[in-house]
Amino acid sequence: MDFRIADTFTASLARLAAQDQKAAKTAAFDLQINPTSAGLSLHRVDRSKDANFWTARASADLRIVLHRTQASLLLCYVGHHDDAYAWAERRRIETHPRTGAAQLVELEELVERAAPVNTATNADTPAPPHKPFASTPAEELLTYGVPPDWITTVRAADENSLFDLAQHLPAEAMDALLELATGGKPKPPVQAPAAADPFAHPDAQRRFRVVANIDELRLALEYPWEKWTVFLHPTQREIVERRFGGPARVTGSAGTGKTVVALHRAVHLARQSPDARVLLATFSKSLRQALQIKLGHLLDPADPVSARITVAYVDGIAHQLHERALGVVPNIAMAAQVDAALKTAAAELKVTRFSQRFLATEWRHVVDAWQLRSWEAYRDVSRLGRKTRIGGNQREALWGIFQRTQALLRARNVVTWAETVSRVTDHYRPAAVKPFTHAVIDEAQDISIPQLRLLTAIVPDGPDNLFFAGDIGQRIFQQPYSWLSQGVDVRGRSLSLKVNYRTSHQIRRRADLLLPPQVRDVDGYEEGRRGTISVFDGPEPDVGLFDTEADEIEFAGAWIAKLVAGGTPPHEIALLVRSTDQFDRAKAATKAAGQKWVSLHERPDIPDGRVVVGTMDLAKGMEFRAVAVMACDDEVIPLQSRIESAAEESELDEIFDSERHLLYVACTRARDHVAITGLEPGSEFLADLLEMGESASGTRSRPRLCGG
């Protein structure tokens, strides 16, 4: 007998109190061991339209709804007695007549809907809302997986009731409808042969998972908030399992599942051969820790595949390989040592026409990044993104300073990180045996030039060697450069994710206002914000400015307290600020809410019962149910000290872009709730977050609420 768990079960489990969750998990284990145990008090749901729905007793008032046949046992839902029975009475499991996929279908005639409220006056009656599916043939809707009983309701839906459908329809049907509503042409789901197992259909596998043993069940139940690692969407699965002829890339805005795809891609590649050595990497140590935690949700440590995957950050793996290949630990130069060497070199050569700030940025973004070692190399390099024009004589004078700086650093027996990575790259590029067979890179938009070169050298050329996941709109640490110039060609192998499963429509729509509709990389690849759809609705973000820090703290504290009182666990709430200078305001807000806090700087593994406090950059790659972005003040974001440090116009443009990206990253860490607060007059970016016609000024000492 197959033992399965539905995504509706993990979702309902996550809504229970901790003690009830424990009882439900214990009952689930008992069901897998002995599904006929008398202690479970199995009862058929008599009033259900599906004769295979039963309930099992988890505690005095807690019931698990299961679907039982001779061939399978499926955990569907868990709730208190009346709630569980009511849930089962309104649903049935059936095989869709066109696609052949097993679906958990809510009975349309039993769905309760609130009557629409018409607030318009007779003198100003608006045009009736557009019905996007009114002219879509019923047969076409069936091919998209819409259950037959729902065809009439779908065709009658208008723009206002569209998101109400998401609560009732199977995910593949809702995905197709959202794409239709936004002008797209969805790809019809796979149509299985008549004799095929309906639970084996790709769309069924996104919601029903076969659990082979107790350990696998434990993993499925232990991390309900991380259930995306268990239920992979078919569009994502297609990318994960595709064979690519060379380097490939998946893109998409925040919340579309790029990290999910990267994790599953690493596991998929590791399963292909017992000799596989897969590097799963990102650009920072904190993100590496987050990847390790998420991989633990996906793989049991006892699984042999776990030993074939190395989770690392790129500079960390470069450090390890440097010691392994060259037999020495690199002595890394501190930033102060580099600055001192530049200053000394300019003084020795009596070159005074260039500021220290310009020399430092030219060194960091051009000379050191590209590892230029000769006058000819510097003379001919494309200074991409550097708008300050320098003539031949100026460039020659600059090279003298940089050449002398390199000599001074060698004399001190120190190397830059870029040089360390370059040494490892030079060692492994000609090697017949590479350290890894495949590399999967998350947050690839922030990979530097030396890091990209390293990645191409430590895996062999050929199919499936490199896989990148990233979003240009979330680039916050690196200046743009050409991947093609580094020999990485993903043309024809770049795919974009358009369905957002993490962030509500309201949060995604508001955060997208911070970025242009189209973002283009240096090689001409364009990522669009338009066409991305969220699969669920939520409250509008709160955007507000205050006269004093005390007012902002009072509001944020009340906001947190309301969420906790409504059932949101504290560890799924985050307070994010631009830098540690604003930490005290975030900490004070948690205290005002009567909660304890934990810093992302100290604990990337977040303990239960504590609100998370961190800087925007450290929240990269993380997800929470609710996020308050505090201290969005004038001269805080964009950060005034960064603006004052700009050596040229192009660098100033890059600073503004990356600061916008930081705020976008912070806002899109949230699933359901976002509050964005600051002191009058507020960050200049807040005007973009407000609806057209609204202003960030206005109500003082109380927040300006946008749509909320």
Side-chain angles (χ1 to χ4, degrees):
M1 174 184 286
D2 288 330
F3 188 87
R4 293 185 174 92
I5 180 171
D7 58 354
T8 50
F9 181 83
T10 56
S12 60
L13 181 69
R15 291 192 290 268
L16 296 177
Q19 193 63 29
D20 286 339
Q21 286 191 24
K22 183 177 180 180
K25 291 175 184 179
T26 301
F29 293 140
D30 291 341
L31 278 165
Q32 184 169 38
I33 295 170
N34 182 7
T36 61
S37 171
L40 294 167
S41 300
L42 292 174
H43 290 284
R44 191 190 301 274
V45 183
D46 293 329
R47 295 175 60 185
S48 173
K49 297 293 182 70
D50 191 323
N52 294 314
F53 271 137
W54 293 67
T55 64
R57 184 180 186 274
S59 70
D61 188 48
L62 199 65
R63 299 292 184 269
I64 291 177
V65 177
L66 51 99
H67 191 266
R68 189 172 72 163
T69 67
Q70 289 185 342
S72 70
L73 187 73
L74 171 65
L75 304 187
C76 296
Y77 187 81
V78 59
H80 294 285
H81 184 282
D82 293 348
D83 171 49
Y85 274 86
W87 186 93
E89 289 165 2
R90 294 196 304 268
R91 288 165 176 83
R92 67 172 178 259
I93 289 181
E94 62 184 28
T95 300
H96 192 274
R98 293 290 184 276
T99 68
Q103 293 183 334
L104 182 56
V105 178
E106 191 169 4
L107 302 180
E108 200 279 339
E109 68 270 19
L110 296 181
V111 173
E112 297 180 3
R113 294 188 178 85
V117 178
N118 186 0
T119 58
T121 64
N122 292 331
D124 186 23
T125 302
H130 172 59
K131 295 182 178 181
F133 315 117
S135 60
T136 306
E139 187 62 31
E140 181 179 349
L141 293 175
L142 280 174
T143 65
Y144 294 138
V146 176
D149 292 350
W150 281 85
I151 296 293
T152 301
T153 301
V154 167
R155 296 184 70 183
D158 58 35
E159 293 173 332
N160 296 327
S161 60
L162 174 60
F163 284 99
D164 179 58
L165 294 174
Q167 304 172 38
H168 309 292
L169 294 181
E172 66 271 20
M174 196 62 207
D175 291 350
L177 294 179
L178 287 170
E179 190 166 349
L180 277 174
T182 54
K185 182 66 175 176
K187 180 181 177 182
V190 174
Q191 295 197 17
D197 178 3
F199 286 97
H201 191 285
D203 286 323
Q205 290 180 1
R206 71 196 288 185
R207 50 184 166 263
F208 307 122
R209 174 183 169 88
V210 174
V211 182
N213 52 52
I214 287 293
D215 288 336
E216 206 169 310
L217 177 61
R218 175 181 57 78
L219 286 173
L221 299 182
E222 191 171 351
Y223 303 103
W225 179 239
E226 302 289 352
K227 66 180 181 178
W228 49 265
T229 61
V230 177
F231 299 99
L232 189 64
H233 182 270
T235 304
Q236 298 168 335
R237 185 181 297 278
E238 181 184 357
I239 296 172
V240 165
E241 297 178 354
R242 181 180 295 190
R243 181 173 171 82
F244 295 98
R249 174 172 61 183
V250 62
T251 65
S253 59
T256 52
K258 299 178 297 298
T259 299
V260 180
V261 169
L263 286 162
H264 281 273
R265 179 71 175 176
V267 172
H268 171 74
L269 293 171
R271 289 197 189 281
Q272 300 308 297
S273 167
D275 298 322
R277 302 182 308 280
V278 180
L279 173 65
L280 174 60
T282 186
F283 69 89
S284 77
K285 186 182 295 186
S286 60
L287 283 176
R288 177 259 169 206
Q289 292 170 320
L291 279 179
Q292 185 73 67
I293 292 169
K294 290 173 180 176
L295 187 65
H297 298 163
L298 182 59
L299 275 181
D300 190 304
D303 190 327
V305 171
S306 296
R308 302 174 200 160
I309 302 175
T310 299
V311 184
Y313 63 105
V314 180
D315 282 347
I317 207 70
H319 193 284
Q320 294 176 24
L321 292 175
H322 189 284
E323 187 174 359
R324 182 196 305 176
L326 304 177
V328 295
V329 176
N331 185 19
I332 304 299
M334 294 182 294
Q337 289 177 295
V338 175
D339 288 343
L342 286 166
K343 187 174 183 178
T344 299
E348 288 179 356
L349 297 173
K350 297 183 170 59
V351 178
T352 59
R353 70 184 91 169
F354 306 108
S355 70
Q356 177 71 14
R357 187 175 298 162
F358 176 83
L359 292 175
T361 55
E362 184 79 0
W363 167 271
R364 183 169 67 254
H365 296 305
V366 181
V367 177
D368 197 38
W370 291 80
Q371 282 296 287
L372 304 178
R373 289 290 177 263
S374 68
W375 154 242
E376 291 77 14
Y378 183 61
R379 179 193 63 198
D380 299 335
V381 73
S382 173
R383 299 172 66 254
L384 189 66
R386 305 282 287 168
K387 292 184 180 178
T388 299
R389 295 181 177 272
I390 54 174
N393 291 337
Q394 289 177 309
R395 191 173 285 212
E396 193 168 359
L398 282 167
W399 177 246
I401 295 173
F402 298 137
Q403 188 177 44
R404 179 58 184 152
T405 298
Q406 291 170 347
L408 289 170
L409 293 176
R410 284 195 300 272
R412 291 173 172 81
N413 194 33
V414 294
V415 294
T416 63
W417 261 119
E419 186 175 355
T420 300
V421 175
S422 181
R423 287 180 179 180
V424 179
T425 301
D426 292 343
H427 175 86
Y428 281 106
R429 189 171 297 286
V433 179
K434 307 290 188 178
F436 301 97
T437 55
H438 312 276
V440 177
I441 313 302
D442 192 32
E443 304 292 352
Q445 74 280 345
D446 278 311
I447 293 294
S448 67
I449 292 172
Q451 291 171 337
L452 186 63
R453 287 176 171 173
L454 171 70
L455 293 167
T456 64
I458 59 177
V459 296
D461 292 333
D464 295 335
N465 62 338
L466 290 166
F467 185 88
F468 301 94
D471 173 17
I472 300 172
Q474 296 184 63
R475 179 180 51 77
I476 55 179
F477 293 111
Q478 292 298 327
Q479 283 197 335
Y481 63 92
S482 168
W483 283 23
L484 277 173
S485 71
Q486 304 307 309
V488 177
D489 188 357
V490 294
R491 290 175 298 181
R493 294 186 294 271
S494 282
L495 303 167
S496 182
L497 297 170
K498 290 294 186 180
V499 181
N500 187 315
Y501 291 91
R502 185 186 73 203
T503 304
S504 74
H505 166 73
Q506 285 73 16
I507 295 173
R508 177 194 57 77
R509 179 178 61 86
R510 193 63 62 88
D512 280 351
L513 296 174
L514 288 165
L515 304 178
Q518 303 290 335
V519 183
R520 185 187 298 269
D521 71 8
V522 172
D523 294 321
Y525 181 82
E526 193 171 81
E527 292 181 15
R529 303 283 134 182
R530 291 176 180 152
T532 299
I533 52 178
S534 297
V535 300
F536 65 96
D537 225 0
E540 285 286 348
D542 295 333
V543 185
L545 296 175
F546 301 85
D547 281 334
T548 67
E549 289 186 12
D551 290 336
E552 181 193 28
I553 290 166
E554 180 184 1
F555 170 77
W559 187 81
I560 296 169
K562 182 179 179 181
L563 287 169
V564 173
T568 303
H571 67 274
E572 291 181 359
I573 302 172
L575 300 187
L576 303 180
V577 292
R578 174 61 185 86
S579 70
T580 54
D581 291 342
Q582 295 86 44
F583 253 36
D584 286 346
R585 283 156 75 173
K587 293 174 185 177
T590 62
K591 184 177 180 181
Q595 299 295 322
K596 297 180 179 179
W597 57 272
V598 62
S599 170
L600 274 179
H601 294 71
E602 301 164 2
R603 291 289 299 272
D605 56 324
I606 301 165
D608 290 351
R610 290 179 180 264
V611 173
V612 179
V613 175
T615 53
M616 297 178 184
D617 58 312
L618 281 186
K620 192 81 182 68
M622 304 195 77
E623 298 130 7
F624 304 91
R625 292 193 181 180
V627 171
V629 188
M630 294 185 65
C632 294
D633 305 348
D634 184 36
E635 299 191 356
V636 170
I637 185 162
L639 199 61
Q640 187 65 24
S641 59
R642 286 194 70 197
I643 293 173
E644 293 172 352
S645 71
E648 55 180 31
E649 181 186 348
S650 64
E651 192 170 358
L652 187 61
D653 292 341
E654 172 60 23
I655 288 169
F656 271 86
D657 284 345
S658 62
E659 293 282 309
R660 276 186 176 275
H661 294 175
L662 262 178
L663 186 55
Y664 172 83
V665 165
C667 295
T668 55
R669 297 311 90 195
R671 174 180 173 85
D672 300 312
H673 303 276
V674 165
I676 304 154
T677 64
L679 301 185
E680 291 278 9
S683 165
E684 61 189 87
F685 297 154
L686 295 192
D688 296 327
L689 288 169
L690 299 175
E691 294 286 0
M692 190 171 296
E694 290 183 300
S695 168
S697 60
T699 304
R700 302 177 67 86
S701 79
R702 289 179 60 84
R704 164 77 72 175
L705 301 181
C706 301

